[in-house]
Amino acid sequence: MTRSEFIKVCSLLGIGFPLQASLSSCTDTNNNTPNTIEKVIIVGAGPAGLTAGYLLQQQGIPFQILEATTNYGGRTKTNNSFANFPIPLGAEWLHVERGIFDEVINDDTIQVDIATTPYDPDVDYGLYQGQEVGVGDIGFTIDQKFINSSWFDFFEQYVVPSVQQNILFEEIVETIDYTGDQVAITTQNDTYQADRVIVTVPVKLLQNDAINFLPALPENKRDAIKEVTVWDGFKAFIEFSEPFYPTFVAFDTVPESAGQKLYYDASYGQNTTQHILGLFTVGSEAQNYIQRSESDRIAYMLNELDAIFDGKASATYVKHLFQDWNAEPFAQGAYIFDDENWRRLATLGESVEGRVFFAGDAYTAGSDWSSVHAAARSAVRAVGELVG
């Protein structure tokens, strides 16, 4: 079953995505207990790395997070200067029930104060192939928009305070050596020793051999890493002086598995007078923008919007903002495509020798992937297996 098919089944049955293993239900095949683990190294401070560190902190297990960039958050990166509300340059929507926040926090005494809003199927509509359609027909059923916040804000407010002192920035991991009694993690600056390591870097980096594993990872895992399809990713935001567009403008991609393209009201639900239209595009569709210069990109976008809305885009254009995820050195793309084989994803998520663990939007149990909530749940699974 592909991810797309899985999501459709869940929607038809009226159920949410099943939880992955929790800390209390996971077992470690090596029968390790928290008391025998003196230190864990986490590679990457994106949603999975932050969640893993937060949960290890709750378990009282010492850990260090090695982050290659100068900030945490990974692909939940936001821009706070383009508009008077956060612009999510990466992950933008909540694709599951709000209970995911409580799953990550794992503390009944903490109330999450992050505002989100669903779309209104009776009011909101979109255009698809020039025809007016409901938001549900485009696939937005359970999805919600963050209000004056983002996934990044959630982690910054509720997770980062517990782990920030354990993050080392600008530490680019080059080698993970698990041949000895301890795992040695070598960066461009230093070498760190730990009992366990949790790798959370985007899978594209492993495809491009950014990290050398000693010994080499098992053959089935190496095959899974090389064979998964990582979509290219590009986002854009355009401010206009007036709104002339519906909630969504969706397009056909042929074949459907090649990618996605969607214009959407980025100001939806925000307390703002700014009119900002977003563009989300992955896969082959993203190449139409990635391959162009900045001036050609905006001209191309305004021309295609003018063709749909009778020249209103060019007439009301104010400014724009681009995010090319292929150009980010520690992302190198968007995420694994929706129709990937779930068994391949399950292989990506498997630990190696009970000492090298994997967590992130690609390293899941195969039931769901390519989202922040999937990354967080994979961290829950990895930490649960690690502590036993």
Side-chain angles (χ1 to χ4, degrees):
M1 178 181 292
T2 67
R3 178 177 182 267
S4 298
E5 292 167 342
F6 180 78
I7 292 172
K8 289 177 182 177
V9 169
C10 286
S11 297
L12 289 172
L13 296 178
I15 59 175
F17 296 106
L19 302 185
Q20 294 192 31
S22 66
L23 289 178
S24 60
S25 63
C26 280
T27 58
D28 183 348
T29 56
N30 291 325
N31 294 318
N32 292 303
T33 65
N35 291 332
T36 66
I37 301 173
E38 295 182 359
K39 187 172 184 180
V40 176
I41 292 289
I42 300 168
V43 182
L50 294 174
T51 301
Y54 178 85
L55 295 174
L56 288 172
Q57 178 86 354
Q58 288 185 333
Q59 296 288 314
I61 298 175
F63 67 93
Q64 194 87 58
I65 301 177
L66 305 180
E67 168 56 38
T69 70
T70 58
N71 200 11
Y72 47 79
R75 283 165 289 171
T76 64
K77 181 179 178 181
T78 59
N79 177 288
N80 293 301
S81 60
F82 185 77
N84 58 8
F85 58 92
I87 294 290
L89 300 176
E92 183 148 359
W93 288 275
L94 177 64
H95 294 303
V96 290
E97 294 87 352
R98 287 178 52 88
I100 184 64
F101 299 141
D102 297 323
E103 289 180 47
V104 174
I105 298 305
N106 195 36
D107 186 340
D108 292 339
T109 67
I110 298 176
Q111 299 297 313
V112 176
D113 184 23
I114 293 287
T116 61
T117 183
Y119 292 98
D120 187 342
D122 296 324
V123 176
D124 303 323
Y125 72 96
L127 293 178
Y128 175 70
Q129 299 298 99
Q131 301 297 313
E132 190 172 310
V133 296
V135 292
D137 296 324
I138 300 176
F140 282 78
T141 52
I142 195 173
D143 311 84
Q144 298 188 49
K145 279 279 289 179
F146 287 84
I147 304 302
N148 199 36
S149 63
S150 65
W151 267 117
F152 179 87
D153 295 295
F154 164 75
F155 282 99
E156 184 169 61
Q157 183 174 347
Y158 294 98
V159 176
V160 169
S162 297
V163 304
Q164 189 164 15
Q165 65 181 0
N166 299 77
I167 304 175
L168 294 178
F169 294 103
E170 297 184 278
E171 288 287 356
I172 302 173
V173 172
E174 296 181 331
T175 302
I176 295 176
D177 184 347
Y178 58 104
T179 57
D181 292 337
Q182 284 201 311
V183 182
I185 298 93
T186 302
T187 72
Q188 292 182 350
N189 303 318
D190 208 342
T191 296
Y192 301 85
Q193 302 285 335
D195 299 292
R196 307 287 185 269
V197 61
I198 303 176
V199 179
T200 73
V201 301
V203 70
K204 191 70 176 181
L205 272 66
L206 300 190
Q207 285 188 336
N208 293 334
D209 299 319
I211 298 177
N212 180 36
F213 290 88
L214 298 173
L217 295 173
E219 184 177 2
N220 68 329
K221 198 170 189 76
R222 298 199 310 269
D223 289 343
I225 290 170
K226 294 301 181 183
E227 292 169 4
V228 294
T229 298
V230 180
W231 268 337
D232 298 323
F234 177 84
K235 290 185 76 173
F237 298 88
I238 310 175
E239 182 177 359
F240 297 98
S241 59
E242 63 181 54
F244 53 82
Y245 42 81
T247 307
F248 296 104
V249 181
F251 299 83
D252 244 347
T253 301
V254 181
E256 186 179 348
S257 60
Q260 298 171 0
K261 175 180 173 179
L262 180 76
Y263 280 103
Y264 60 95
D265 182 2
S267 301
Y268 185 92
Q270 309 296 329
N271 183 21
T272 182
T273 58
Q274 290 181 272
H275 311 295
I276 298 174
L277 188 66
L279 170 68
F280 165 86
T281 179
V282 291
S284 61
E285 291 287 351
Q287 284 299 321
N288 289 328
Y289 307 90
I290 290 173
Q291 293 178 353
R292 299 176 186 272
S293 67
E294 180 160 344
S295 59
D296 285 344
R297 284 174 186 169
I298 189 61
Y300 181 84
M301 294 174 67
L302 292 176
N303 284 338
E304 67 180 356
L305 289 168
D306 281 342
I308 300 171
F309 298 106
D310 299 325
K312 293 180 180 178
S314 294
T316 59
Y317 165 78
V318 177
K319 62 183 179 180
H320 67 269
L321 172 68
F322 294 146
Q323 173 64 39
D324 178 1
W325 281 104
N326 283 37
E328 293 285 342
F330 301 106
Q332 301 179 11
Y335 50 79
I336 290 177
F337 87 128
D338 286 351
D339 296 310
E340 186 58 81
N341 186 298
W342 69 269
R343 292 181 177 86
R344 196 169 288 151
L345 273 296
T347 301
L348 286 181
E350 292 175 353
S351 61
V352 177
E353 295 189 6
R355 292 194 296 160
V356 182
F357 298 84
F358 295 82
D361 66 294
Y363 313 102
T364 71
S367 59
D368 190 17
W369 58 91
S370 296
S371 64
V372 177
H373 70 261
R377 285 173 171 167
S378 75
V380 175
R381 171 192 52 76
V383 173
E385 183 181 353
L386 186 151
V387 303

